Amino acid sequence: FIPKDKIIWECFYGDGKSGEYLREITGNEVIHAYADFFEINVGEILISNPPYSCKAKVFKRLQEIDKPFIMIVPVST
């Protein structure tokens, strides 16, 4: 489901390994650096596992960014 021609922004850094993993499994260019998701806007599609403590704020920001995204969240979200 991930388009091969899109630059992925892994927007939550965590331990730093998910960006490497996304590059490996997709072959896409991946932007993954420690940065403030609420202040910057890069890439063409966002793929991440956001902090659940602020998921409402995350989804509001995703709406503002207005780009395709894949977020790993509980099904109840």
Side-chain angles (χ1 to χ4, degrees):
F1 296 112
I2 301 170
K4 294 292 182 190
D5 62 336
K6 301 291 183 194
I7 298 171
I8 298 170
W9 177 23
E10 208 302 20
C11 47
F12 294 100
Y13 196 73
D15 65 5
K17 294 181 182 178
S18 58
E20 296 171 22
Y21 183 69
L22 281 170
R23 275 185 211 97
E24 184 180 306
I25 65 169
T26 66
N28 291 46
E29 180 180 343
V30 177
I31 299 168
H32 189 225
Y34 188 77
D36 188 345
F37 166 73
F38 299 100
E39 297 293 324
I40 67 169
N41 181 358
V42 296
E44 299 172 287
I45 183 171
L46 291 77
I47 301 175
S48 196
N49 180 4
Y52 298 154
S53 62
C54 62
K55 65 184 175 185
K57 186 176 176 184
V58 168
F59 278 93
K60 184 176 192 279
R61 175 73 174 140
L62 288 168
Q63 186 178 21
E64 292 168 1
I65 291 173
D66 194 30
K67 293 180 183 178
F69 65 86
I70 298 170
M71 292 288 131
I72 301 167
V73 295
V75 70
S76 60
T77 301

